[in-house]
mmCIF file of all heavy atoms in Angstrom:
data_model
loop_
_atom_site.group_PDB
_atom_site.id
_atom_site.type_symbol
_atom_site.label_atom_id
_atom_site.label_comp_id
_atom_site.label_asym_id
_atom_site.label_seq_id
_atom_site.Cartn_x
_atom_site.Cartn_y
_atom_site.Cartn_z
ATOM 1 N N SER A 1527 32.563 69.247 161.863
ATOM 2 C CA SER A 1527 32.244 70.095 163.001
ATOM 3 C C SER A 1527 32.201 69.267 164.269
ATOM 4 O O SER A 1527 31.682 68.147 164.291
ATOM 5 C CB SER A 1527 30.885 70.771 162.793
ATOM 6 O OG SER A 1527 30.484 71.433 163.973
ATOM 7 N N LEU A 1528 32.752 69.807 165.335
ATOM 8 C CA LEU A 1528 32.772 69.099 166.605
ATOM 9 C C LEU A 1528 31.762 69.683 167.588
ATOM 10 O O LEU A 1528 31.785 69.379 168.770
ATOM 11 C CB LEU A 1528 34.170 69.148 167.215
ATOM 12 C CG LEU A 1528 35.301 68.649 166.313
ATOM 13 C CD1 LEU A 1528 36.626 68.703 167.060
ATOM 14 C CD2 LEU A 1528 35.014 67.238 165.851
ATOM 15 N N ASP A 1529 30.875 70.552 167.108
ATOM 16 C CA ASP A 1529 29.935 71.216 168.008
ATOM 17 C C ASP A 1529 29.113 70.217 168.816
ATOM 18 O O ASP A 1529 28.839 70.439 169.996
ATOM 19 C CB ASP A 1529 28.989 72.127 167.218
ATOM 20 C CG ASP A 1529 29.732 73.327 166.631
ATOM 21 O OD1 ASP A 1529 30.817 73.636 167.145
ATOM 22 O OD2 ASP A 1529 29.225 73.926 165.674
ATOM 23 N N ASN A 1530 28.703 69.129 168.172
ATOM 24 C CA ASN A 1530 27.872 68.153 168.869
ATOM 25 C C ASN A 1530 28.631 67.451 169.984
ATOM 26 O O ASN A 1530 28.035 66.833 170.859
ATOM 27 C CB ASN A 1530 27.320 67.118 167.888
ATOM 28 C CG ASN A 1530 26.341 67.729 166.917
ATOM 29 O OD1 ASN A 1530 25.721 68.747 167.213
ATOM 30 N ND2 ASN A 1530 26.200 67.111 165.748
ATOM 31 N N ASN A 1531 29.949 67.532 169.939
ATOM 32 C CA ASN A 1531 30.779 66.905 170.968
ATOM 33 C C ASN A 1531 31.236 67.921 172.010
ATOM 34 O O ASN A 1531 32.046 67.606 172.876
ATOM 35 C CB ASN A 1531 32.011 66.249 170.338
ATOM 36 C CG ASN A 1531 31.647 65.225 169.288
ATOM 37 O OD1 ASN A 1531 31.482 65.583 168.126
ATOM 38 N ND2 ASN A 1531 31.511 63.965 169.673
ATOM 39 N N GLY A 1532 30.710 69.137 171.902
ATOM 40 C CA GLY A 1532 31.107 70.159 172.848
ATOM 41 C C GLY A 1532 32.441 70.796 172.505
ATOM 42 O O GLY A 1532 33.010 71.522 173.307
ATOM 43 N N LEU A 1533 32.950 70.528 171.308
ATOM 44 C CA LEU A 1533 34.224 71.097 170.868
ATOM 45 C C LEU A 1533 34.010 71.801 169.538
ATOM 46 O O LEU A 1533 33.754 71.156 168.522
ATOM 47 C CB LEU A 1533 35.281 69.996 170.703
ATOM 48 C CG LEU A 1533 35.638 69.189 171.952
ATOM 49 C CD1 LEU A 1533 36.530 68.016 171.564
ATOM 50 C CD2 LEU A 1533 36.352 70.066 172.966
ATOM 51 N N ASP A 1534 34.070 73.141 169.547
ATOM 52 C CA ASP A 1534 33.893 73.866 168.307
ATOM 53 C C ASP A 1534 35.190 73.821 167.511
ATOM 54 O O ASP A 1534 36.275 73.931 168.050
ATOM 55 C CB ASP A 1534 33.503 75.317 168.578
ATOM 56 C CG ASP A 1534 34.470 76.006 169.531
ATOM 57 O OD1 ASP A 1534 34.883 75.334 170.487
ATOM 58 O OD2 ASP A 1534 34.812 77.176 169.297
ATOM 59 N N GLY A 1535 35.074 73.655 166.207
ATOM 60 C CA GLY A 1535 36.274 73.592 165.372
ATOM 61 C C GLY A 1535 36.195 72.463 164.368
ATOM 62 O O GLY A 1535 35.127 71.962 164.055
ATOM 63 N N VAL A 1536 37.331 72.074 163.839
ATOM 64 C CA VAL A 1536 37.400 71.028 162.824
ATOM 65 C C VAL A 1536 38.445 70.000 163.236
ATOM 66 O O VAL A 1536 39.264 70.234 164.113
ATOM 67 C CB VAL A 1536 37.769 71.604 161.442
ATOM 68 C CG1 VAL A 1536 36.681 72.533 160.943
ATOM 69 C CG2 VAL A 1536 39.104 72.325 161.508
ATOM 70 N N VAL A 1537 38.397 68.855 162.575
ATOM 71 C CA VAL A 1537 39.394 67.823 162.842
ATOM 72 C C VAL A 1537 39.727 67.122 161.538
ATOM 73 O O VAL A 1537 38.880 67.018 160.648
ATOM 74 C CB VAL A 1537 38.892 66.812 163.899
ATOM 75 C CG1 VAL A 1537 37.759 65.959 163.354
ATOM 76 C CG2 VAL A 1537 40.023 65.938 164.408
ATOM 77 N N ASP A 1538 40.942 66.682 161.409
ATOM 78 C CA ASP A 1538 41.424 66.087 160.161
ATOM 79 C C ASP A 1538 42.366 64.937 160.525
ATOM 80 O O ASP A 1538 43.576 65.044 160.375
ATOM 81 C CB ASP A 1538 42.141 67.148 159.339
ATOM 82 C CG ASP A 1538 42.562 66.676 157.959
ATOM 83 O OD1 ASP A 1538 42.372 65.480 157.657
ATOM 84 O OD2 ASP A 1538 43.095 67.491 157.196
ATOM 85 N N THR A 1539 41.797 63.860 161.026
ATOM 86 C CA THR A 1539 42.598 62.770 161.592
ATOM 87 C C THR A 1539 42.126 61.421 161.065
ATOM 88 O O THR A 1539 40.934 61.179 160.950
ATOM 89 C CB THR A 1539 42.473 62.763 163.140
ATOM 90 O OG1 THR A 1539 42.858 64.025 163.647
ATOM 91 C CG2 THR A 1539 43.348 61.675 163.747
ATOM 92 N N VAL A 1540 43.077 60.556 160.751
ATOM 93 C CA VAL A 1540 42.753 59.184 160.359
ATOM 94 C C VAL A 1540 43.613 58.225 161.166
ATOM 95 O O VAL A 1540 44.747 58.544 161.525
ATOM 96 C CB VAL A 1540 42.977 58.947 158.844
ATOM 97 C CG1 VAL A 1540 44.449 59.030 158.478
ATOM 98 C CG2 VAL A 1540 42.392 57.608 158.406
ATOM 99 N N GLU A 1541 43.057 57.071 161.482
ATOM 100 C CA GLU A 1541 43.801 56.059 162.224
ATOM 101 C C GLU A 1541 44.230 54.931 161.300
ATOM 102 O O GLU A 1541 43.561 54.638 160.305
ATOM 103 C CB GLU A 1541 42.955 55.487 163.365
ATOM 104 C CG GLU A 1541 41.748 54.692 162.881
ATOM 105 C CD GLU A 1541 40.931 54.098 164.019
ATOM 106 O OE1 GLU A 1541 41.223 54.411 165.187
ATOM 107 O OE2 GLU A 1541 40.002 53.333 163.729
ATOM 108 N N ILE A 1542 45.339 54.302 161.647
ATOM 109 C CA ILE A 1542 45.814 53.103 160.955
ATOM 110 C C ILE A 1542 45.894 51.999 162.001
ATOM 111 O O ILE A 1542 46.582 52.140 163.011
ATOM 112 C CB ILE A 1542 47.197 53.319 160.321
ATOM 113 C CG1 ILE A 1542 47.123 54.442 159.281
ATOM 114 C CG2 ILE A 1542 47.707 52.029 159.684
ATOM 115 C CD1 ILE A 1542 48.493 54.912 158.810
#
Side-chain angles (χ1 to χ4, degrees):
S1527 171
L1528 306 182
D1529 291 340
N1530 293 335
N1531 303 88
L1533 299 171
D1534 53 320
V1536 295
V1537 69
D1538 186 355
T1539 304
V1540 67
E1541 66 179 7
I1542 299 168

